[in-house]
Amino acid sequence: MDWNSYVGHSRQRHWFRNAIQSNRLASTFLMVGPDGIGKRTFARLLAKTMLCTGASPSDFAPCCRCETCAQIDAGSHPDLIEIARRPEKTTLVLDQLIGEGEMRMRSGLCYELRMRPYSGRRKIAIIDDADTLNEEGANCLLKTLEEPPPGSLIFLISTSVQRQLPTIRSRCQMARFQALSTEELTLLILRNGLVSEPQQATMIASQAAGSMAQVANWLDEELSSFREELFDHLVQKPLDFAKLAKAVQGNMESVGTESQPRRERLKVILDFALFFYRSAMREGIEIESSGMPRTKASDGGFGRLSALDSQSFVSAIQRCIEAREHLDRMVSPASLIEAWAADLAVISRA
Ligand SMILES: [Zn+2]
């Protein structure tokens, strides 16, 4: 991967190139933006740019031929330390930052950052899922952020500034990333071979709110069948809120008992509902004509919804956005589902 094959975020690229070339790169960055838009890949590319031995950082074009570039691509360069939330955990764990058991304070990201750089240049750390740092973890990291080892670079990757503790936020330079455009997403879908037909790629890209994570959700078979079921509930007028809440709750619980995966699943469901109301507002017919697998809802369900006036669609869309925001603020998912479904039912009777 190099900057030429990287898709999107040209404004951020220019910004970082200028900062590197004028030698005013901060040591700690908070990269904020939606899931699935390439923030982590961007941070890796910056690491490659800074560590490549075949080019100078100010070239802003890693050679992709040297040993360093190869090691970074393979995830094995000793000067690049990466951590992310382990899939089974709800948060980044302390072990990842300061080592575990007998190795406490003698391994982990904070320790490794202080080691002399293997390359003689610098150490770089990428902390993905920084939204899930708990207070204990954040406090450990704080010491490193207060006195970053000379020359080191730290990238925290986050979806929401609000999810960061003020003490962390205040020590980071902010880099905001926007969702990808439909054209950029189409290009990525085709390049990654997710579908082969350009028309189908564009159609999926237009549903996915600028995120490759949402593209994956649209292509997931199990989620597709639940999406149909969800649309069948949403299309009812008036909507049966108890049935809707039960179906959503059931699907959320199907991912296991851990709170983080459940929360992520609920986000996906709310995104589907948002898509439903937005499509219904545009009369929904495009869903079928653009080659989407037929669903009962797209077979004519949206037509039945036309009795809803446009103000009701706007209210339903706003309610879904609000539910998503509440979820980010760690509201209990079960009560969130109940309140959301009940409000949608009220809107459907308007
Ligand atoms: Zn190189």
Side-chain angles (χ1 to χ4, degrees), residues 178-186 205 210:
Q178 311 295 331
L180 297 168
S181 70
T182 302
E183 291 72 25
E184 289 164 344
L185 217 49
T186 304

Side-chain angles (χ1 to χ4, degrees), residues 48 51-55 62-70:
K48 212 171 178 183
L51 294 172
C52 169
T53 52
C63 74
C64 294
R65 289 185 303 272
C66 71
E67 179 73 14
T68 297
C69 283

Side-chain angles (χ1 to χ4, degrees), residues 182 186 198-208 286-287 290-293:
T182 302
T186 304
Q199 200 191 348
Q200 199 193 1
T202 305
M203 187 275 303
I204 294 169
S206 67
Q207 333 281 24
E286 299 146 35
I287 297 181
S290 57
M292 199 59 204

Side-chain angles (χ1 to χ4, degrees), residues 43-97:
R44 276 190 190 146
L45 265 173
L46 282 174
K48 212 171 178 183
T49 304
M50 299 304 289
L51 294 172
C52 169
T53 52
S56 148
S58 61
D59 295 339
F60 206 73
C63 74
C64 294
R65 289 185 303 272
C66 71
E67 179 73 14
T68 297
C69 283
Q71 282 181 321
I72 289 175
D73 284 340
S76 63
H77 195 282
D79 289 340
L80 176 60
I81 311 141
E82 289 190 63
I83 60 170
R85 179 178 59 79
R86 295 175 183 146
E88 75 281 10
K89 298 286 182 189
T90 54
T91 63
L92 285 162
V93 291
L94 219 48
D95 303 348
Q96 294 175 289
L97 292 164

